[in-house]
Amino acid sequence: MAERSTAAVDVADNSGDDPLTAQAGKATTDGAAESQDSAEQTAPDTGSERQGTEPAIATPELHSGHKLARRYRLEECVTRLDGFSSWRAVDEKLRRAVGVHLLPADHPRARSVLAAARSSALLGDPRFVQVLDAVEENDLVYVVHEWLPDATELTALLAAGPMEPHDAYQLVDQISQAMAAAHREGLAHLRLTPGAVLRSSAGQYRIRGLAVNAALRGITSDGPQRTDTEAIGALLYAALTHRWPYESDAYGLSGLPKGVGLIAPDQVRAGVHRGLSELAMRALVNDGATASRQEPPCTTPDELAKAVAAMPRIRPPEPAFTSPPEYQRTTYQQGTYGRPAPRQGTAATQPVPNPPAPLQSRTGKALKWAVAALLIAALGLGSWQIADKLIDHDKDPVDPPATQTNNGEKNPEPASGKPVAITGARDFDPLGDHSEKPAEIKNSYDGDPATYWNTDGYLRSGDFGRLKPGVGIVLDLGKVQQVGTVDVSFLGGETSVELRTAPENAASEPTTLDGFAKVAGGSGSNVSLKPGKPVQARYVLVWLTNLPQSTEGNFRGKVSEIKITT
């Protein structure tokens, strides 16, 4: 099932022998994953975490259809292990899928699981799968969290092979920033495996099980920041090489050769981005040894996030060009349109008789002379009218309005309302991941209102989930021109937008938001942005600041057409 493979709870895949999604597919009728217990016995240890050794505890015997709090109906068991179970369930009140962790109230880790879930719920960061409820009721403790059916596990992404440099860069950038924010609030993950990372359809990475997954398994660490940093380094290493950076195989990936030690990613596989290879080594090796032995190690997610930000931006690959189909002549172009095709086997085609020459009779000649006389008369009348207009113009000349230039010469004022051609455009996301659907930019000014450019989908709120102040489109007018009015049409609902322009003397397109000055703003489905005073610019920024909610439940902006006039 698609939902099971994209949003299964990652609490029992430490060994990596079988991804949790594969194990979930082996669930029995009541949902128990029978192969989990043996898989847990071979879990690799990075040397920085401790796992509880409590005696085996009976997992609560629940079945599909059981309801919690008369609201959460259990549908399918994903994990049954070590005294707890994890389920896909339905919130009948809000009519949505959710995930549920269940364990007995007298479980030795029940209190720590409740505390971890409630702390995680207070974070409220959209980069993490949110805890929705944490309850002790009827001798049971259960934790309810989001279920993301449209997301894909990193385990599945890695199974397809190594990632492109841009995708690997986005992975380490987003995960390190999210974990840095969590640690600033005193929260650690401690089980940041490929099964704990999801990528949404919009390309955003989300982390599940913050603090909760470790509490369920009794995992602690003397250095939680270092543990999470090394885990991010392992994810980046796997994304670059399609290998797990330890000797044991894990998460469907082969480990490194035994006895060789840790090898830099660019030595494991050809074509690996050098900067990302060094970054992975800086995160994995924290005793002073790095890939280049020149850069200091990264021991916290915050240090790793700063190291990623200091790297040159890695742009997405250019879309593959497909050549148009080879030109083929048609029967119409060959001069045989409307003629019957020759039968197969015919030795020769019948000759086509030539039509008689037109207008060769006496009546035809008279008609030609009449047409010629009319043409001569028309030409004479037209010449007389032109001459008359010129004489009147000389008698009463009228000077057009003019403006004075710096050299004392007079130039006519540009006509207002004249369309301004857009010679190029690009996506503008300086405060995010620097990429916002670049392949669809031309749809925003192609003259077809049925096509559009859309932003990524954002969760929780229309202000980009509080991740950044906005995104936009930079339009290149080819040269400095007067910007009178910019009309922007949106699809999907009311959208807030600002008009910003680069300085008239800008030598190149600005790369930061501060490089553009706000000259107008508005909101609606069809917004006319007009500066309060005349503006001359070559580079114009249409900057979206608040997005409508889409039919998918997230927030997304759609620009169908942009028109600029003087």
Side-chain angles (χ1 to χ4, degrees):
M1 294 176 63
E3 288 188 347
R4 180 191 306 150
S5 65
T6 58
V9 182
D10 170 37
V11 291
D13 62 347
N14 210 24
S15 73
D17 295 334
D18 280 317
L20 177 66
T21 54
Q23 296 174 8
K26 304 172 186 176
T28 57
T29 303
D30 66 350
E34 297 175 344
S35 62
Q36 304 268 14
D37 295 330
S38 60
E40 283 298 318
Q41 304 303 320
T42 58
D45 188 359
T46 62
S48 60
E49 64 180 32
R50 297 194 300 272
Q51 182 170 327
T53 57
E54 293 86 354
I57 300 173
T59 305
E61 289 296 333
L62 300 176
H63 55 82
S64 299
H66 182 89
K67 283 188 183 180
L68 301 172
R70 294 184 296 180
R71 175 176 179 176
Y72 304 112
R73 186 181 74 249
L74 303 182
E75 292 285 322
E76 178 185 12
C77 184
V78 179
T79 303
R80 190 185 296 275
L81 177 72
D82 201 15
F84 69 86
S85 60
S86 300
W87 295 74
R88 176 175 61 83
V90 174
D91 182 348
E92 293 187 335
K93 183 177 181 180
L94 298 180
R95 298 182 180 179
R96 63 179 178 180
V98 294
V100 178
H101 299 304
L102 276 165
L103 66 166
D106 58 354
H107 194 290
R109 296 195 289 269
R111 294 292 168 268
S112 60
V113 169
L114 275 176
R118 289 165 180 170
S119 298
S120 178
L122 292 175
L123 181 62
D125 191 319
R127 292 172 291 191
F128 295 90
V129 174
Q130 299 295 298
V131 171
L132 305 174
D133 210 350
V135 180
E136 180 178 359
E137 179 182 75
N138 298 332
D139 299 328
L140 283 177
V141 167
Y142 57 90
V143 177
V144 183
H145 61 86
E146 285 183 296
W147 187 276
L148 307 177
D150 65 334
T152 306
E153 272 188 13
L154 182 59
T155 307
L157 298 175
L158 294 177
M163 290 185 173
E164 293 289 338
H166 176 262
D167 293 333
Y169 172 83
Q170 291 299 321
L171 170 69
V172 68
D173 183 38
Q174 296 184 36
I175 298 300
S176 61
Q177 288 190 40
M179 288 310 305
H183 278 280
R184 284 193 291 269
E185 299 298 327
L187 293 170
H189 197 290
L190 305 184
R191 278 193 44 83
L192 196 54
T193 65
V197 178
L198 305 172
R199 187 173 73 179
S200 70
S201 57
Q204 294 173 312
Y205 287 95
R206 299 188 68 185
I207 302 170
R208 64 184 170 195
L210 178 66
V212 175
N213 281 5
L216 283 166
R217 296 182 54 82
I219 296 174
T220 60
S221 174
D222 295 330
Q225 295 215 46
R226 173 173 173 173
T227 299
D228 284 342
T229 304
E230 289 193 41
I232 300 172
L235 297 179
L236 176 59
Y237 195 103
L240 295 173
T241 64
H242 200 229
R243 300 287 292 267
W244 193 239
Y246 303 101
E247 290 186 354
S248 59
D249 299 345
Y251 311 109
L253 302 174
S254 301
L256 297 178
K258 298 185 182 298
V260 176
L262 186 60
I263 310 171
D266 57 358
Q267 297 177 12
V268 175
R269 175 177 165 266
V272 172
H273 188 278
R274 180 65 182 274
L276 292 175
S277 174
E278 294 186 358
L279 198 65
M281 296 298 287
R282 292 176 63 186
L284 279 169
V285 184
N286 292 293
D287 57 2
T290 66
S292 63
R293 300 187 181 275
Q294 296 177 358
E295 297 291 339
C298 298
T299 59
T300 68
D302 188 59
E303 291 178 359
L304 182 58
K306 291 178 180 178
V308 175
M311 288 181 58
R313 177 187 175 189
I314 301 177
R315 294 185 175 274
E318 294 292 334
F321 173 76
T322 55
S323 58
E326 186 177 352
Y327 174 75
Q328 297 180 349
R329 295 183 63 87
T330 65
T331 56
Y332 175 76
Q333 293 161 328
Q334 293 169 351
T336 61
Y337 179 76
R339 300 178 187 175
R343 297 180 181 178
Q344 294 182 354
T346 305
T349 59
Q350 295 294 327
V352 179
N354 294 325
L359 302 180
Q360 293 300 316
S361 63
R362 177 179 296 181
T363 304
K365 291 181 179 180
L367 182 59
K368 286 196 295 183
W369 282 110
V371 171
L374 288 174
L375 288 174
I376 294 172
L379 288 173
L381 180 60
S383 301
W384 176 80
Q385 290 179 338
I386 293 173
D388 186 59
K389 289 288 184 182
L390 291 174
I391 293 172
D392 291 342
H393 179 74
D394 292 338
K395 289 180 180 179
D396 189 15
V398 178
D399 293 332
T403 56
Q404 195 76 16
T405 65
N406 294 333
N407 298 327
E409 299 176 356
K410 291 184 177 181
N411 290 330
E413 287 280 0
S416 61
K418 180 181 178 182
V420 176
I422 299 172
T423 61
R426 75 170 183 88
D427 58 311
F428 190 68
D429 185 18
L431 304 174
D433 59 5
H434 305 284
S435 179
E436 197 83 9
K437 305 292 186 184
E440 302 169 1
I441 284 294
K442 286 189 177 180
N443 294 340
S444 64
Y445 62 97
D446 61 356
D448 183 0
T451 62
Y452 59 87
W453 167 83
N454 62 270
T455 68
D456 290 331
Y458 295 88
L459 301 173
R460 299 178 67 87
S461 58
D463 56 351
F464 300 87
R466 298 191 296 274
L467 297 175
K468 52 192 173 184
V471 298
I473 303 174
V474 177
L475 306 166
D476 185 356
L477 308 184
K479 62 181 179 179
V480 175
Q481 300 193 55
Q482 179 176 325
V483 179
T485 303
V486 177
D487 294 311
V488 187
S489 299
F490 297 100
L491 299 176
E494 184 170 310
T495 307
S496 297
V497 62
E498 294 177 357
L499 175 63
R500 293 173 174 259
T501 58
E504 182 178 353
N505 58 355
S508 60
E509 176 187 323
T511 57
T512 63
L513 185 60
D514 294 338
F516 294 89
K518 179 181 176 181
V519 296
S523 63
S525 297
N526 294 283
V527 184
S528 183
L529 302 169
K530 188 171 184 178
K533 58 182 180 179
V535 174
Q536 297 278 338
R538 172 177 175 176
Y539 301 104
V540 175
L541 171 61
V542 175
W543 182 247
L544 278 60
T545 58
N546 202 285
L547 310 177
Q549 188 167 13
S550 67
T551 55
E552 296 89 3
N554 54 17
F555 293 84
R556 190 187 300 271
K558 296 180 180 180
V559 179
S560 64
E561 204 61 40
I562 300 175
K563 295 181 181 179
I564 303 178
T565 55
T566 58

